Amino acid sequence: MRSTVADLHAELVRYNLVVWTAGNVSGRIPGEDLFVIKPSGVSYDELTAANMVVCDLDGNLVEGGHSPSSDTAAHAYVYRTMPDVGGVVHTHSTYASAWAARGEAIPCVLTAMADEFGGEIPLGPFALIGDDSIGQGIVETLKGHRSKAVLMRNHGVFSIGKDPKAAVKAAVMCEDVARTVHVARQLGEPLPIPQDDIDRLYDRYQNVYGQRSPR
Protein backbone atom coordinates (compact mmCIF):
# COMPACT_ATOMS: atom_id res chain seq x y z
CA MET A 1 0.00 0.00 0.00
CA ARG A 2 2.92 2.36 0.60
CA SER A 3 4.06 1.79 -3.00
CA THR A 4 0.54 2.13 -4.40
CA VAL A 5 -0.15 5.38 -2.60
CA ALA A 6 3.26 6.85 -3.45
CA ASP A 7 2.86 6.00 -7.14
CA LEU A 8 -0.68 7.40 -7.38
CA HIS A 9 0.51 10.86 -6.36
CA ALA A 10 2.20 11.03 -9.77
CA GLU A 11 -1.26 10.77 -11.36
CA LEU A 12 -2.34 13.96 -9.57
CA VAL A 13 0.63 15.74 -11.14
CA ARG A 14 0.07 14.12 -14.55
CA TYR A 15 -3.53 15.34 -14.71
CA ASN A 16 -2.67 18.83 -13.36
CA LEU A 17 -4.77 18.43 -10.22
CA VAL A 18 -2.17 19.78 -7.76
CA VAL A 19 0.56 22.40 -7.39
CA TRP A 20 3.62 22.51 -5.14
CA THR A 21 2.91 20.21 -2.13
CA ALA A 22 -0.88 20.63 -1.95
CA GLY A 23 -3.16 17.61 -2.24
CA ASN A 24 -2.85 14.03 -1.07
CA VAL A 25 -3.79 10.40 -1.62
CA SER A 26 -4.43 7.83 1.09
CA GLY A 27 -5.25 4.14 1.08
CA ARG A 28 -6.78 1.86 3.67
CA ILE A 29 -4.68 -1.21 4.52
CA PRO A 30 -6.98 -4.20 3.93
CA GLY A 31 -7.86 -6.08 7.09
CA GLU A 32 -6.32 -3.46 9.38
CA ASP A 33 -7.59 -0.32 11.12
CA LEU A 34 -4.78 1.59 9.43
CA PHE A 35 -4.19 3.71 6.34
CA VAL A 36 -1.23 5.04 4.40
CA ILE A 37 -1.07 8.76 3.56
CA LYS A 38 1.30 11.32 2.08
CA PRO A 39 3.68 13.09 4.49
CA SER A 40 3.04 16.79 5.07
CA GLY A 41 4.87 19.35 2.96
CA VAL A 42 7.00 16.91 0.97
CA SER A 43 7.48 17.68 -2.74
CA TYR A 44 5.78 15.31 -5.18
CA ASP A 45 9.04 14.46 -6.90
CA GLU A 46 10.46 13.35 -3.54
CA LEU A 47 7.63 10.97 -2.65
CA THR A 48 8.61 7.31 -2.30
CA ALA A 49 7.14 4.23 -0.68
CA ALA A 50 9.66 4.67 2.11
CA ASN A 51 8.51 8.14 3.16
CA MET A 52 4.78 7.38 3.17
CA VAL A 53 3.35 7.32 6.68
CA VAL A 54 0.93 4.92 8.36
CA CYS A 55 -1.83 6.18 10.67
CA ASP A 56 -4.61 4.59 12.69
CA LEU A 57 -8.26 5.46 12.15
CA ASP A 58 -8.02 8.23 14.74
CA GLY A 59 -5.31 9.88 12.65
CA ASN A 60 -2.46 9.02 14.98
CA LEU A 61 0.95 8.32 13.47
CA VAL A 62 1.76 4.62 13.76
CA GLU A 63 4.75 4.25 11.47
CA GLY A 64 6.97 6.58 9.47
CA GLY A 65 9.66 9.19 9.87
CA HIS A 66 7.59 12.20 8.75
CA SER A 67 4.56 14.07 10.04
CA PRO A 68 1.40 12.99 8.21
CA SER A 69 -0.56 15.24 5.86
CA SER A 70 -2.44 18.15 7.41
CA ASP A 71 -5.60 16.53 6.00
CA THR A 72 -5.05 13.31 7.95
CA ALA A 73 -7.91 13.94 10.40
CA ALA A 74 -10.35 14.30 7.49
CA HIS A 75 -9.16 11.09 5.84
CA ALA A 76 -9.29 9.23 9.18
CA TYR A 77 -12.88 10.33 9.81
CA VAL A 78 -13.96 9.07 6.38
CA TYR A 79 -12.32 5.68 6.98
CA ARG A 80 -13.80 5.44 10.48
CA THR A 81 -17.35 6.12 9.39
CA MET A 82 -17.44 4.68 5.84
CA PRO A 83 -16.03 1.14 6.08
CA ASP A 84 -16.49 0.45 2.34
CA VAL A 85 -14.13 3.29 1.41
CA GLY A 86 -10.61 2.10 0.62
CA GLY A 87 -9.11 5.30 -0.78
CA VAL A 88 -9.42 9.06 -0.28
CA VAL A 89 -7.99 11.86 -2.43
CA HIS A 90 -7.84 15.62 -1.93
CA THR A 91 -6.99 18.18 -4.61
CA HIS A 92 -7.35 21.89 -5.28
CA SER A 93 -7.83 21.31 -9.01
CA THR A 94 -8.60 24.57 -10.78
CA TYR A 95 -12.05 24.21 -12.31
CA ALA A 96 -13.60 22.07 -9.58
CA SER A 97 -12.21 24.40 -6.90
CA ALA A 98 -13.69 27.35 -8.79
CA TRP A 99 -17.13 25.75 -8.44
CA ALA A 100 -16.37 25.22 -4.73
CA ALA A 101 -15.37 28.89 -4.39
CA ARG A 102 -18.73 29.88 -5.87
CA GLY A 103 -20.54 27.54 -3.48
CA GLU A 104 -22.26 25.64 -6.28
CA ALA A 105 -22.68 21.95 -7.04
CA ILE A 106 -21.84 20.82 -10.58
CA PRO A 107 -25.14 19.91 -12.29
CA CYS A 108 -25.46 16.64 -14.17
CA VAL A 109 -25.48 17.85 -17.76
CA LEU A 110 -23.01 15.34 -19.28
CA THR A 111 -23.34 11.61 -19.82
CA ALA A 112 -19.83 11.23 -18.36
CA MET A 113 -21.16 12.67 -15.09
CA ALA A 114 -24.12 10.31 -15.08
CA ASP A 115 -21.75 7.40 -15.74
CA GLU A 116 -19.18 8.17 -13.08
CA PHE A 117 -21.09 10.11 -10.41
CA GLY A 118 -24.71 9.09 -10.91
CA GLY A 119 -25.88 12.70 -10.80
CA GLU A 120 -24.54 16.08 -9.75
CA ILE A 121 -21.26 16.51 -7.90
CA PRO A 122 -22.54 17.91 -4.61
CA LEU A 123 -21.38 20.85 -2.56
CA GLY A 124 -20.17 20.21 0.98
CA PRO A 125 -20.03 22.74 3.83
CA PHE A 126 -17.24 25.16 4.66
CA ALA A 127 -14.94 23.71 7.31
CA LEU A 128 -11.55 24.67 8.69
CA ILE A 129 -8.57 22.35 8.46
CA GLY A 130 -7.00 20.96 11.64
CA ASP A 131 -9.57 18.57 13.08
CA ASP A 132 -12.13 16.19 11.61
CA SER A 133 -14.63 18.94 10.66
CA ILE A 134 -13.81 18.50 6.97
CA GLY A 135 -14.22 14.74 7.30
CA GLN A 136 -17.63 15.22 8.88
CA GLY A 137 -18.67 17.46 5.98
CA ILE A 138 -17.47 14.91 3.43
CA VAL A 139 -19.39 12.07 5.05
CA GLU A 140 -22.57 14.08 5.65
CA THR A 141 -22.61 15.13 2.00
CA LEU A 142 -21.73 11.81 0.36
CA LYS A 143 -23.71 9.39 2.56
CA GLY A 144 -26.68 8.27 0.52
CA HIS A 145 -25.28 10.01 -2.58
CA ARG A 146 -23.95 8.15 -5.62
CA SER A 147 -21.22 10.72 -6.24
CA LYS A 148 -17.70 9.70 -5.27
CA ALA A 149 -16.57 13.34 -5.17
CA VAL A 150 -17.60 16.37 -3.15
CA LEU A 151 -16.77 20.04 -3.56
CA MET A 152 -15.97 21.40 -0.11
CA ARG A 153 -17.03 25.04 -0.15
CA ASN A 154 -14.19 27.57 -0.51
CA HIS A 155 -11.69 24.71 -0.41
CA GLY A 156 -11.48 22.02 -3.08
CA VAL A 157 -12.24 18.44 -3.99
CA PHE A 158 -12.34 15.30 -1.87
CA SER A 159 -13.02 12.00 -3.59
CA ILE A 160 -13.47 8.47 -2.34
CA GLY A 161 -13.30 5.01 -3.86
CA LYS A 162 -13.17 1.30 -3.16
CA ASP A 163 -9.38 1.67 -3.32
CA PRO A 164 -6.91 4.56 -3.83
CA LYS A 165 -6.86 4.19 -7.63
CA ALA A 166 -10.65 4.51 -7.82
CA ALA A 167 -10.51 7.63 -5.65
CA VAL A 168 -7.87 9.14 -7.95
CA LYS A 169 -10.05 8.36 -10.97
CA ALA A 170 -12.97 10.18 -9.33
CA ALA A 171 -10.76 13.23 -8.72
CA VAL A 172 -9.57 13.21 -12.34
CA MET A 173 -13.10 12.88 -13.69
CA CYS A 174 -14.37 15.57 -11.32
CA GLU A 175 -11.93 18.12 -12.72
CA ASP A 176 -12.66 17.06 -16.31
CA VAL A 177 -16.42 17.58 -16.03
CA ALA A 178 -15.99 20.75 -13.94
CA ARG A 179 -14.01 22.26 -16.80
CA THR A 180 -16.46 21.15 -19.51
CA VAL A 181 -19.56 22.36 -17.65
CA HIS A 182 -17.83 25.69 -16.95
CA VAL A 183 -17.13 26.12 -20.68
CA ALA A 184 -20.71 25.15 -21.52
CA ARG A 185 -22.02 27.86 -19.21
CA GLN A 186 -19.97 30.47 -21.06
CA LEU A 187 -21.95 29.57 -24.18
CA GLY A 188 -25.38 29.41 -22.57
CA GLU A 189 -27.42 27.36 -20.13
CA PRO A 190 -26.43 23.66 -20.16
CA LEU A 191 -29.27 21.20 -20.68
CA PRO A 192 -30.00 18.88 -17.75
CA ILE A 193 -30.27 15.12 -18.29
CA PRO A 194 -33.59 13.60 -17.13
CA GLN A 195 -33.28 11.54 -13.96
CA ASP A 196 -34.47 8.32 -15.63
CA ASP A 197 -31.71 8.63 -18.21
CA ILE A 198 -29.13 9.40 -15.51
CA ASP A 199 -30.17 6.22 -13.71
CA ARG A 200 -29.87 4.14 -16.88
CA LEU A 201 -26.49 5.59 -17.78
CA TYR A 202 -25.14 5.05 -14.28
CA ASP A 203 -26.34 1.43 -14.16
CA ARG A 204 -24.81 0.64 -17.54
CA TYR A 205 -21.44 2.21 -16.74
CA GLN A 206 -21.20 0.62 -13.31
CA ASN A 207 -22.46 -2.83 -14.25
CA VAL A 208 -21.95 -3.40 -18.00
CA TYR A 209 -19.18 -1.13 -19.34
CA GLY A 210 -15.63 -2.46 -19.66
CA GLN A 211 -14.21 -5.96 -19.37
CA ARG A 212 -15.98 -8.41 -17.08
CA SER A 213 -14.53 -11.56 -15.58
CA PRO A 214 -16.07 -14.73 -17.07
CA ARG A 215 -18.44 -16.54 -14.74
Side-chain angles (χ1 to χ4, degrees):
M1 186 58 71
R2 285 175 179 270
S3 295
T4 296
V5 170
D7 290 347
L8 283 169
H9 281 89
E11 298 299 292
L12 303 188
V13 176
R14 180 157 78 108
Y15 287 99
N16 298 310
L17 304 186
V18 294
V19 296
W20 204 241
T21 62
N24 39 70
V25 179
S26 72
R28 188 195 294 267
I29 300 174
E32 304 286 344
D33 289 332
L34 300 169
F35 64 97
V36 173
I37 194 167
K38 173 181 176 285
S40 179
V42 176
S43 173
Y44 278 81
D45 58 8
E46 296 175 1
L47 294 180
T48 65
N51 62 23
M52 293 295 107
V53 295
V54 181
C55 295
D56 64 23
L57 298 193
D58 291 315
N60 299 310
L61 180 65
V62 171
E63 188 177 313
H66 295 76
S67 298
S69 165
S70 55
D71 292 302
T72 296
H75 289 242
Y77 187 88
V78 173
Y79 289 126
R80 259 195 335 269
T81 55
M82 301 181 81
D84 292 337
V85 170
V88 179
V89 172
H90 174 47
T91 79
H92 300 154
S93 60
T94 303
Y95 284 88
S97 295
W99 286 85
R102 295 186 65 249
E104 185 176 355
I106 305 174
C108 189
V109 295
L110 297 167
T111 58
M113 290 188 68
D115 289 344
E116 182 69 27
F117 302 103
E120 71 171 16
I121 299 176
L123 178 73
F126 176 77
L128 292 173
I129 196 168
D131 58 18
D132 62 13
S133 297
I134 292 174
Q136 292 180 42
I138 295 166
V139 171
E140 288 167 7
T141 306
L142 292 184
K143 268 198 170 177
H145 204 293
R146 292 192 294 207
S147 177
K148 299 301 182 187
V150 55
L151 310 176
M152 295 300 287
R153 185 166 66 85
N154 300 106
H155 188 172
V157 178
F158 280 85
S159 60
I160 60 174
K162 62 181 177 152
D163 54 37
K165 184 177 181 180
V168 169
K169 179 191 176 187
V172 171
M173 293 298 295
C174 178
E175 178 64 5
D176 182 61
V177 299
R179 180 174 59 248
T180 303
V181 179
H182 168 77
V183 171
R185 285 177 59 159
Q186 309 316 298
L187 302 172
E189 189 61 31
L191 302 175
I193 300 174
Q195 186 62 51
D196 286 351
D197 290 330
I198 291 174
D199 293 341
R200 282 194 286 269
L201 287 162
Y202 181 75
D203 179 70
R204 175 188 173 277
Y205 188 76
Q206 300 297 323
N207 299 309
V208 178
Y209 175 82
Q211 303 301 310
R212 301 288 157 180
S213 298
R215 298 186 179 222

